Amino acid sequence: MSQFDINSATQEPDLSTAMKVVYLWNYGSEVEELRRLYVKALEAQWIAERDLDWERPIDHIALAATPLGIGFPVEQTSYWRSLSAETVWALKKRMASFRLSNFLHGEQGALMVAAQLVNAVPHTDAKFYAATQTMDEARHVEVFARYIQKLDMVRPIAPNLKGLLDSTLETGDWIKKLVGMQIVVEGLALYSFREMRNLTEEPLLKEILTYVGRDEARHHAYGVQYVERCVPCLSAAEREELEDFAFDAAIAIIGGRNQAGFMAALLQSWAEAGIDTAELLACAQRERDQLTRAQRSGRRRGPVSGFVLPTLRRCGLLSRRVAGRFHEVLQENLGSQVVGSSVEEFMRWIPDLPEDTAAWLLSELE
Ligand SMILES: [Fe+2]
Ligand SMILES: [Fe+2]
């Protein structure tokens, strides 16, 4: 038997969470659409070991060509373009493992929140569904960990993602857990997985994202269908509080990708690969005007405007009041030409949620 210890060197034991456990003595179905989703989840189970071809080596050229969107157009700098193919691969590999590690850590958070939901939600169908999601998330942790180990090594969690997971795990309010996880984190995941799945030609990664993405489309549907049922039962004050919780969670993501902590860790790993990061940054600074122009023209809506906000609106959690708060932040990030100069214009700019998110996941990017 291999060495066994109750405490692992990498565990982080200090987060106390609040959660009320709800027993239900009526075992019949009350929320039909959630029961249907539960059956669908059972039918769609897959096994990572059996269904994916893990023997296949990672296609370096295809992975290196995958745009990873770290919020900084570093690859267009003349410094980057002067590097050897070997060095570029070393940097790309690290960049991919940073991005995928954050998917992985998010999956661990989802695993734990889904398990909390089994305890905390007050409807049998919702408990059953959360049980299937718990299984799905375990599988997602398994596949991302395995892919990253094949590629490089697991990198640390971005501080803003950690904060978002913490606040969702910590809250004692099950509807806030639902909104934090099923709407904000799952919305972010679904949007990002779709984008990466579309943009990569690396076969194993594309396959993983297809399998995982289908599960995430269902998780997001659970959030929408359940929250949309619950919101009309809340008092005005409770609804406002929930909207503000969603706002804080979503804002933690905006601009977070290039947050100082995350960039510092990535730059450190690039320095270990032998490049002069000070010179790289200085070069990006010198070529700033050109780079921002190139970046602006290709700008997509991003996960919050493109997916989380449409979901909140659909669930009845995007009042004019909170839309005003979102507009203010997004105006600072993207400018009024993009998001509109009034809240009304901003509301019109937010797209509708796709009717069928599972089909949308597999469709081409707009
Ligand atoms: Fe997941
Ligand atoms: Fe999920």
Side-chain angles (χ1 to χ4, degrees):
M1 208 168 129
S2 59
Q3 205 191 332
F4 175 80
D5 204 328
I6 287 180
N7 299 307
S8 97
T10 65
Q11 79 187 45
E12 191 187 307
D14 289 321
L15 188 71
S16 301
T17 66
M19 182 185 66
K20 273 194 194 132
V21 172
V22 176
Y23 278 102
L24 291 162
W25 308 119
N26 57 326
Y27 293 99
S29 176
E30 296 164 291
V31 194
E32 242 176 77
E33 65 270 28
L34 296 188
R35 182 60 68 107
R36 277 200 299 275
L37 210 54
Y38 161 70
V39 173
K40 215 170 164 184
L42 295 177
E43 281 166 351
Q45 292 295 304
W46 48 281
I47 298 174
E49 178 64 41
R50 185 194 64 194
D51 299 334
L52 296 172
D53 180 5
W54 293 99
E55 294 308 311
R56 190 170 32 188
I58 291 176
D59 180 338
H60 290 192
I61 295 172
L63 188 65
T66 306
L68 291 162
I70 56 162
F72 175 60
V74 68
E75 290 153 72
Q76 290 155 26
T77 58
S78 54
Y79 182 87
W80 183 283
R81 283 185 273 121
S82 73
L83 299 169
S84 70
E86 222 170 72
T87 309
V88 167
W89 167 245
L91 304 185
K92 277 281 194 169
K93 188 170 80 171
R94 284 168 168 78
M95 206 156 135
S97 68
F98 263 96
R99 188 87 202 275
L100 294 169
S101 294
N102 279 285
F103 287 175
L104 168 66
H105 302 313
E107 296 291 359
Q108 182 185 182
L111 169 66
M112 296 196 286
V113 175
Q116 286 188 329
L117 289 174
V118 173
N119 291 269
V121 290
H123 298 92
T124 301
D125 302 297
K127 285 184 189 293
F128 283 9
Y129 184 80
T132 66
Q133 184 174 332
T134 307
M135 185 64 246
D136 293 346
E137 304 297 10
R139 199 169 42 232
H140 300 173
V141 174
E142 177 195 353
V143 292
F144 280 119
R146 198 159 169 182
Y147 188 84
I148 295 166
Q149 276 149 12
K150 225 171 138 71
L151 173 71
D152 183 38
M153 60 190 271
V154 174
R155 304 284 177 174
I157 188 166
N160 62 323
L161 176 61
K162 177 66 165 49
L164 175 53
L165 296 177
D166 282 356
S167 61
T168 306
L169 283 160
E170 276 172 328
T171 175
D173 183 339
W174 61 270
I175 303 194
K176 285 185 184 159
K177 286 186 195 296
L178 267 181
V179 167
M181 180 49 61
Q182 306 301 131
I183 293 184
V184 179
V185 179
E186 298 282 359
L188 165 72
L190 194 53
Y191 190 94
S192 309
F193 292 170
R194 173 180 187 251
E195 199 160 70
M196 196 184 270
R197 184 195 167 275
N198 255 281
L199 296 175
T200 190
E201 291 306 326
E202 203 296 294
L204 182 55
L205 181 60
K206 204 175 183 85
E207 197 168 41
I208 287 174
L209 292 168
T210 305
Y211 273 93
V212 172
R214 275 192 211 122
D215 291 345
E216 301 303 355
R218 217 168 41 237
H219 302 169
H220 175 261
Y222 170 61
V224 169
Q225 293 175 10
Y226 198 21
V227 173
E228 155 179 90
R229 277 259 200 165
C230 296
V231 165
C233 306
L234 301 176
S235 69
E238 286 168 337
R239 186 189 295 216
E240 269 196 17
E241 200 182 313
L242 196 55
E243 282 184 344
D244 288 337
F245 183 82
F247 173 82
D248 291 338
I251 291 308
I253 296 168
I254 298 176
R257 269 193 239 153
N258 46 15
Q259 237 191 14
F262 178 71
M263 271 316 276
L266 179 61
L267 287 170
Q268 173 65 31
S269 89
W270 282 350
E272 285 158 21
I275 71 154
D276 182 346
T277 52
E279 178 49 30
L280 173 66
L281 291 178
C283 176
Q285 186 66 20
R286 282 195 301 274
E287 294 166 13
R288 194 183 43 199
D289 287 351
Q290 236 171 306
L291 298 176
T292 35
R293 234 178 297 131
Q295 194 186 22
R296 278 226 178 94
S297 56
R299 191 156 232 163
R300 291 184 208 285
R301 277 198 166 88
V304 171
S305 317
F307 207 74
V308 175
L309 288 177
T311 308
L312 288 172
R313 178 160 64 192
R314 164 78 187 270
C315 294
L317 290 174
L318 192 68
S319 64
R320 200 193 175 285
R321 180 192 68 90
V322 82
R325 298 187 67 194
F326 275 111
H327 180 233
E328 207 174 295
V329 175
L330 287 164
Q331 219 174 3
E332 271 169 38
N333 278 13
L334 305 173
S336 314
Q337 312 95 298
V338 180
V339 302
S341 50
S342 68
V343 180
E344 285 65 33
E345 253 181 78
F346 172 60
M347 296 285 260
R348 281 196 296 276
W349 175 71
I350 298 170
D352 285 331
L353 199 58
E355 274 301 315
D356 180 347
T357 45
W360 171 81
L361 173 87
L362 303 176
S363 67
E364 294 284 305
L365 298 178
E366 300 76 30

